[in-house]
Amino acid sequence: MQRLARQWQRAGAPVALVPTMGFLHAGHISLIHRARRTVGRRGRVVVSIYVNPTQFAPTEDLKRYPRDREGDLRQCRAAGADAVFLPSDAEMYPGGFSTYVEEQALSRGMEGASRPAHFRGVTTVVAKLLLLTQPGVAVFGAKDWQQAAVVGRMVRDLNFPVRIVVAETLREGDGLAMSSRNHYLLPAQRAQATVLWRMLEEARRQVRAARQPLSAALLRRRLQALLRQAPEARLDYIEFFQPDTLEPVRRVRRGDHMALAVWIGPTRLIDNATLE
Ligand code: PAF
């Protein structure tokens, strides 16, 4: 992969990376299209597909994470990717692997608080993918807002010569953010999963209607009332924060960001939006 990337660079072709864990859906395809628009027809788009074990805790869904290599390759080809990079665990983490990359501020709250080793795994694998594919641009989805912020900070702090582009979340018709993990939902759970989007919309409505900044604690309580309408839903967190710094806010105003994680039965879903 590195040799190919260097060849492309010598030929003057800009390279864009779309890092994924596979089981691709329309949201991923929109990232591939975004990458193509960024590098143009003469550029090269690489999609990496790798279910990275170091970002899963032992209790999480690594083993059952959905996989569909043939379907993924078909979709990458149809979307116009120039290469698909599918490393193995042994190639990514050879015996004696002992070097990790850790961001120590933006990764602490929200996903980092609920999934303590998660971002160390993400930054380590993304650093490796950037070194292997040598892109000028890497495209991440806004659904993982905190991930994009953590990767952006890592790239800045460690001087990776890459620009991080954050592409809009794609949603189903009823607002549910597209995610490979939606595949786990049984029909009744799928119907309840719209509660995440409804909570984001309600927060937006309340912030717009308020004459002054709203107490985050009060807004959180009001949104929890909505959550109770979905019998299989259990809240992990709701956080209000400044979109760039992820700094939590105690009083919520237009332009602030909200992120939440909710269990629907055994499936943990996340989503976020700017409250505008
Ligand atoms: O967002 C994902 O799919 C993963 O966290 C990523 C960025 C591919 C790293 O494994």
Side-chain angles (χ1 to χ4, degrees):
M1 183 67 245
Q2 240 169 15
R3 261 202 309 276
L4 179 62
R6 288 209 193 99
Q7 259 174 35
W8 286 340
Q9 274 170 357
R10 276 197 298 274
V15 178
L17 169 68
V18 181
T20 80
M21 297 207 299
F23 205 69
L24 304 182
H25 49 68
H28 294 112
I29 303 308
S30 74
L31 304 183
I32 300 175
H33 290 152
R34 178 67 180 270
R36 171 61 62 203
R37 285 200 299 280
T38 310
V39 292
R41 283 208 356 245
R42 290 190 52 255
R44 296 286 184 265
V45 174
V46 188
V47 179
S48 66
I49 299 182
Y50 180 59
V51 183
N52 172 38
T54 62
Q55 68 189 73
F56 290 78
T59 50
E60 292 179 352
D61 56 342
L62 171 63
K63 281 225 174 71
R64 69 185 193 113
Y65 195 83
R67 289 162 169 89
D68 176 14
R69 180 178 287 215
E70 289 313 309
D72 287 349
L73 290 175
R74 250 195 323 276
Q75 293 197 67
C76 287
R77 203 169 291 126
D82 295 289
V84 181
F85 179 49
L86 297 131
S88 67
D89 285 344
E91 285 165 332
M92 291 300 268
Y93 297 105
F97 184 93
S98 60
T99 307
Y100 290 85
V101 178
E102 190 173 346
E103 193 285 331
Q104 298 193 325
L106 303 183
S107 61
R108 290 295 187 245
M110 297 188 282
E111 289 304 286
S114 297
R115 307 179 66 192
H118 174 67
F119 282 122
R120 186 178 88 138
V122 170
T123 41
T124 301
V125 81
V126 171
K128 285 172 68 73
L129 292 169
L130 293 175
L131 291 166
L132 287 162
T133 62
Q134 317 245 319
V137 175
V139 184
F140 288 79
K143 189 178 81 72
D144 296 286
W145 187 267
Q146 187 181 10
Q147 168 173 278
V150 168
V151 167
R153 178 64 62 87
M154 174 191 79
V155 156
R156 187 202 73 173
D157 287 355
L158 300 184
N159 307 101
F160 279 87
V162 64
R163 181 163 66 90
I164 302 300
V165 168
V166 183
E168 199 186 326
T169 303
L170 241 64
R171 298 183 179 280
E172 306 288 355
D174 59 8
L176 179 65
M178 290 187 187
S179 162
S180 304
R181 288 190 168 99
N182 293 349
H183 176 73
Y184 296 143
L185 300 167
L186 300 172
Q189 294 168 342
R190 169 64 186 81
Q192 292 174 48
T194 58
V195 73
L196 282 88
W197 178 237
R198 286 186 280 119
M199 288 163 81
L200 287 165
E201 291 251 275
E202 178 60 17
R204 259 191 191 149
R205 200 186 62 74
Q206 298 233 2
V207 166
R208 265 190 218 131
R211 292 220 191 94
Q212 48 198 7
L214 272 176
S215 145
L218 176 68
L219 185 52
R220 198 176 277 115
R221 276 201 300 279
R222 288 182 183 163
L223 297 175
Q224 276 168 328
L226 256 183
L227 191 79
R228 284 192 284 277
Q229 294 171 6
E232 289 193 66
R234 186 166 50 83
L235 185 67
D236 182 346
Y237 65 79
I238 300 177
E239 198 62 74
F240 304 100
F241 55 91
Q242 289 178 352
D244 299 330
T245 61
L246 309 188
E247 195 62 43
V249 294
R250 291 171 62 157
R251 303 194 71 78
V252 189
R253 60 195 82 215
R254 284 177 88 151
D256 286 339
H257 212 84
M258 171 175 152
L260 75 171
V262 172
W263 289 93
I264 305 286
T267 303
R268 186 172 178 281
L269 300 177
I270 60 172
D271 203 350
N272 70 85
T274 304
L275 304 177
E276 52 194 5

PDB file of all heavy atoms in Angstrom, residues 64-79:
ATOM      1  N   ARG A  64     -18.902 -10.020  16.668  1.00  0.00           N
ATOM      2  CA  ARG A  64     -20.110 -10.078  15.823  1.00  0.00           C
ATOM      3  C   ARG A  64     -20.260  -8.850  14.933  1.00  0.00           C
ATOM      4  O   ARG A  64     -21.284  -8.694  14.273  1.00  0.00           O
ATOM      5  CB  ARG A  64     -21.349 -10.329  16.691  1.00  0.00           C
ATOM      6  CG  ARG A  64     -21.746  -9.176  17.585  1.00  0.00           C
ATOM      7  CD  ARG A  64     -22.919  -9.591  18.483  1.00  0.00           C
ATOM      8  NE  ARG A  64     -23.494  -8.402  19.109  1.00  0.00           N
ATOM      9  CZ  ARG A  64     -24.691  -7.927  18.856  1.00  0.00           C
ATOM     10  NH1 ARG A  64     -25.480  -8.530  17.994  1.00  0.00           N
ATOM     11  NH2 ARG A  64     -25.128  -6.838  19.458  1.00  0.00           N
ATOM     12  N   TYR A  65     -19.253  -7.960  14.915  1.00  0.00           N
ATOM     13  CA  TYR A  65     -19.358  -6.772  14.063  1.00  0.00           C
ATOM     14  C   TYR A  65     -19.652  -7.231  12.630  1.00  0.00           C
ATOM     15  O   TYR A  65     -18.964  -8.113  12.101  1.00  0.00           O
ATOM     16  CB  TYR A  65     -18.070  -5.948  14.116  1.00  0.00           C
ATOM     17  CG  TYR A  65     -18.279  -4.564  13.563  1.00  0.00           C
ATOM     18  CD1 TYR A  65     -18.802  -3.544  14.354  1.00  0.00           C
ATOM     19  CD2 TYR A  65     -18.019  -4.286  12.227  1.00  0.00           C
ATOM     20  CE1 TYR A  65     -19.044  -2.284  13.834  1.00  0.00           C
ATOM     21  CE2 TYR A  65     -18.259  -3.021  11.697  1.00  0.00           C
ATOM     22  CZ  TYR A  65     -18.766  -2.037  12.515  1.00  0.00           C
ATOM     23  OH  TYR A  65     -19.026  -0.789  11.988  1.00  0.00           O
ATOM     24  N   PRO A  66     -20.683  -6.660  11.962  1.00  0.00           N
ATOM     25  CA  PRO A  66     -21.075  -7.200  10.651  1.00  0.00           C
ATOM     26  C   PRO A  66     -19.984  -7.014   9.596  1.00  0.00           C
ATOM     27  O   PRO A  66     -19.304  -5.994   9.576  1.00  0.00           O
ATOM     28  CB  PRO A  66     -22.328  -6.384  10.296  1.00  0.00           C
ATOM     29  CG  PRO A  66     -22.265  -5.162  11.131  1.00  0.00           C
ATOM     30  CD  PRO A  66     -21.503  -5.519  12.376  1.00  0.00           C
ATOM     31  N   ARG A  67     -19.833  -8.033   8.766  1.00  0.00           N
ATOM     32  CA  ARG A  67     -18.794  -7.999   7.718  1.00  0.00           C
ATOM     33  C   ARG A  67     -19.400  -8.475   6.404  1.00  0.00           C
ATOM     34  O   ARG A  67     -20.220  -9.389   6.401  1.00  0.00           O
ATOM     35  CB  ARG A  67     -17.627  -8.920   8.109  1.00  0.00           C
ATOM     36  CG  ARG A  67     -16.775  -8.391   9.274  1.00  0.00           C
ATOM     37  CD  ARG A  67     -15.949  -9.521   9.868  1.00  0.00           C
ATOM     38  NE  ARG A  67     -14.920  -9.061  10.797  1.00  0.00           N
ATOM     39  CZ  ARG A  67     -15.080  -8.881  12.098  1.00  0.00           C
ATOM     40  NH1 ARG A  67     -16.245  -9.099  12.671  1.00  0.00           N
ATOM     41  NH2 ARG A  67     -14.073  -8.478  12.864  1.00  0.00           N
ATOM     42  N   ASP A  68     -18.983  -7.893   5.307  1.00  0.00           N
ATOM     43  CA  ASP A  68     -19.458  -8.312   3.980  1.00  0.00           C
ATOM     44  C   ASP A  68     -18.423  -7.887   2.948  1.00  0.00           C
ATOM     45  O   ASP A  68     -18.601  -6.897   2.237  1.00  0.00           O
ATOM     46  CB  ASP A  68     -20.837  -7.672   3.695  1.00  0.00           C
ATOM     47  CG  ASP A  68     -21.338  -7.995   2.296  1.00  0.00           C
ATOM     48  OD1 ASP A  68     -20.779  -8.907   1.647  1.00  0.00           O
ATOM     49  OD2 ASP A  68     -22.282  -7.327   1.852  1.00  0.00           O
ATOM     50  N   ARG A  69     -17.327  -8.654   2.869  1.00  0.00           N
ATOM     51  CA  ARG A  69     -16.202  -8.231   2.032  1.00  0.00           C
ATOM     52  C   ARG A  69     -16.611  -8.080   0.560  1.00  0.00           C
ATOM     53  O   ARG A  69     -16.302  -7.072  -0.065  1.00  0.00           O
ATOM     54  CB  ARG A  69     -15.065  -9.241   2.172  1.00  0.00           C
ATOM     55  CG  ARG A  69     -13.872  -8.851   1.318  1.00  0.00           C
ATOM     56  CD  ARG A  69     -12.730  -9.802   1.489  1.00  0.00           C
ATOM     57  NE  ARG A  69     -12.100  -9.606   2.769  1.00  0.00           N
ATOM     58  CZ  ARG A  69     -10.782  -9.738   2.981  1.00  0.00           C
ATOM     59  NH1 ARG A  69     -10.007 -10.069   1.984  1.00  0.00           N
ATOM     60  NH2 ARG A  69     -10.263  -9.560   4.159  1.00  0.00           N
ATOM     61  N   GLU A  70     -17.341  -9.093   0.026  1.00  0.00           N
ATOM     62  CA  GLU A  70     -17.696  -9.033  -1.404  1.00  0.00           C
ATOM     63  C   GLU A  70     -18.583  -7.835  -1.694  1.00  0.00           C
ATOM     64  O   GLU A  70     -18.373  -7.097  -2.651  1.00  0.00           O
ATOM     65  CB  GLU A  70     -18.396 -10.342  -1.835  1.00  0.00           C
ATOM     66  CG  GLU A  70     -17.455 -11.536  -1.883  1.00  0.00           C
ATOM     67  CD  GLU A  70     -16.145 -11.215  -2.613  1.00  0.00           C
ATOM     68  OE1 GLU A  70     -16.238 -10.689  -3.746  1.00  0.00           O
ATOM     69  OE2 GLU A  70     -15.059 -11.461  -2.058  1.00  0.00           O
ATOM     70  N   GLY A  71     -19.596  -7.658  -0.843  1.00  0.00           N
ATOM     71  CA  GLY A  71     -20.522  -6.529  -1.029  1.00  0.00           C
ATOM     72  C   GLY A  71     -19.774  -5.197  -0.928  1.00  0.00           C
ATOM     73  O   GLY A  71     -20.013  -4.265  -1.707  1.00  0.00           O
ATOM     74  N   ASP A  72     -18.850  -5.119   0.009  1.00  0.00           N
ATOM     75  CA  ASP A  72     -18.072  -3.875   0.190  1.00  0.00           C
ATOM     76  C   ASP A  72     -17.248  -3.574  -1.065  1.00  0.00           C
ATOM     77  O   ASP A  72     -17.196  -2.430  -1.532  1.00  0.00           O
ATOM     78  CB  ASP A  72     -17.126  -4.005   1.390  1.00  0.00           C
ATOM     79  CG  ASP A  72     -17.863  -3.953   2.727  1.00  0.00           C
ATOM     80  OD1 ASP A  72     -19.057  -3.617   2.725  1.00  0.00           O
ATOM     81  OD2 ASP A  72     -17.232  -4.244   3.758  1.00  0.00           O
ATOM     82  N   LEU A  73     -16.595  -4.627  -1.593  1.00  0.00           N
ATOM     83  CA  LEU A  73     -15.740  -4.411  -2.777  1.00  0.00           C
ATOM     84  C   LEU A  73     -16.591  -3.953  -3.954  1.00  0.00           C
ATOM     85  O   LEU A  73     -16.216  -3.036  -4.694  1.00  0.00           O
ATOM     86  CB  LEU A  73     -14.976  -5.692  -3.119  1.00  0.00           C
ATOM     87  CG  LEU A  73     -13.887  -6.076  -2.110  1.00  0.00           C
ATOM     88  CD1 LEU A  73     -13.264  -7.412  -2.474  1.00  0.00           C
ATOM     89  CD2 LEU A  73     -12.810  -4.988  -2.027  1.00  0.00           C
ATOM     90  N   ARG A  74     -17.771  -4.584  -4.088  1.00  0.00           N
ATOM     91  CA  ARG A  74     -18.677  -4.185  -5.190  1.00  0.00           C
ATOM     92  C   ARG A  74     -19.038  -2.710  -5.060  1.00  0.00           C
ATOM     93  O   ARG A  74     -18.985  -1.938  -6.010  1.00  0.00           O
ATOM     94  CB  ARG A  74     -19.958  -5.025  -5.120  1.00  0.00           C
ATOM     95  CG  ARG A  74     -20.100  -6.033  -6.253  1.00  0.00           C
ATOM     96  CD  ARG A  74     -21.505  -6.592  -6.389  1.00  0.00           C
ATOM     97  NE  ARG A  74     -22.217  -6.831  -5.161  1.00  0.00           N
ATOM     98  CZ  ARG A  74     -22.112  -7.936  -4.417  1.00  0.00           C
ATOM     99  NH1 ARG A  74     -21.299  -8.914  -4.783  1.00  0.00           N
ATOM    100  NH2 ARG A  74     -22.813  -8.078  -3.307  1.00  0.00           N
ATOM    101  N   GLN A  75     -19.404  -2.315  -3.827  1.00  0.00           N
ATOM    102  CA  GLN A  75     -19.838  -0.923  -3.618  1.00  0.00           C
ATOM    103  C   GLN A  75     -18.683   0.061  -3.840  1.00  0.00           C
ATOM    104  O   GLN A  75     -18.891   1.147  -4.375  1.00  0.00           O
ATOM    105  CB  GLN A  75     -20.381  -0.752  -2.209  1.00  0.00           C
ATOM    106  CG  GLN A  75     -21.671  -1.515  -1.959  1.00  0.00           C
ATOM    107  CD  GLN A  75     -22.370  -0.979  -0.728  1.00  0.00           C
ATOM    108  OE1 GLN A  75     -22.846   0.152  -0.716  1.00  0.00           O
ATOM    109  NE2 GLN A  75     -22.417  -1.767   0.313  1.00  0.00           N
ATOM    110  N   CYS A  76     -17.481  -0.321  -3.405  1.00  0.00           N
ATOM    111  CA  CYS A  76     -16.324   0.580  -3.602  1.00  0.00           C
ATOM    112  C   CYS A  76     -16.064   0.772  -5.091  1.00  0.00           C
ATOM    113  O   CYS A  76     -15.797   1.885  -5.549  1.00  0.00           O
ATOM    114  CB  CYS A  76     -15.078   0.009  -2.929  1.00  0.00           C
ATOM    115  SG  CYS A  76     -15.146   0.129  -1.143  1.00  0.00           S
ATOM    116  N   ARG A  77     -16.141  -0.345  -5.829  1.00  0.00           N
ATOM    117  CA  ARG A  77     -15.905  -0.256  -7.279  1.00  0.00           C
ATOM    118  C   ARG A  77     -16.949   0.670  -7.899  1.00  0.00           C
ATOM    119  O   ARG A  77     -16.616   1.585  -8.652  1.00  0.00           O
ATOM    120  CB  ARG A  77     -16.001  -1.662  -7.881  1.00  0.00           C
ATOM    121  CG  ARG A  77     -15.271  -1.811  -9.183  1.00  0.00           C
ATOM    122  CD  ARG A  77     -15.160  -3.271  -9.609  1.00  0.00           C
ATOM    123  NE  ARG A  77     -14.285  -4.058  -8.767  1.00  0.00           N
ATOM    124  CZ  ARG A  77     -14.630  -5.203  -8.155  1.00  0.00           C
ATOM    125  NH1 ARG A  77     -15.836  -5.696  -8.301  1.00  0.00           N
ATOM    126  NH2 ARG A  77     -13.766  -5.848  -7.417  1.00  0.00           N
ATOM    127  N   ALA A  78     -18.242   0.429  -7.541  1.00  0.00           N
ATOM    128  CA  ALA A  78     -19.328   1.237  -8.137  1.00  0.00           C
ATOM    129  C   ALA A  78     -19.184   2.713  -7.767  1.00  0.00           C
ATOM    130  O   ALA A  78     -19.553   3.595  -8.548  1.00  0.00           O
ATOM    131  CB  ALA A  78     -20.676   0.696  -7.671  1.00  0.00           C
ATOM    132  N   ALA A  79     -18.643   2.975  -6.571  1.00  0.00           N
ATOM    133  CA  ALA A  79     -18.516   4.378  -6.127  1.00  0.00           C
ATOM    134  C   ALA A  79     -17.272   5.043  -6.720  1.00  0.00           C
ATOM    135  O   ALA A  79     -17.033   6.226  -6.496  1.00  0.00           O
ATOM    136  CB  ALA A  79     -18.468   4.436  -4.605  1.00  0.00           C
TER     137      ALA A  79
END
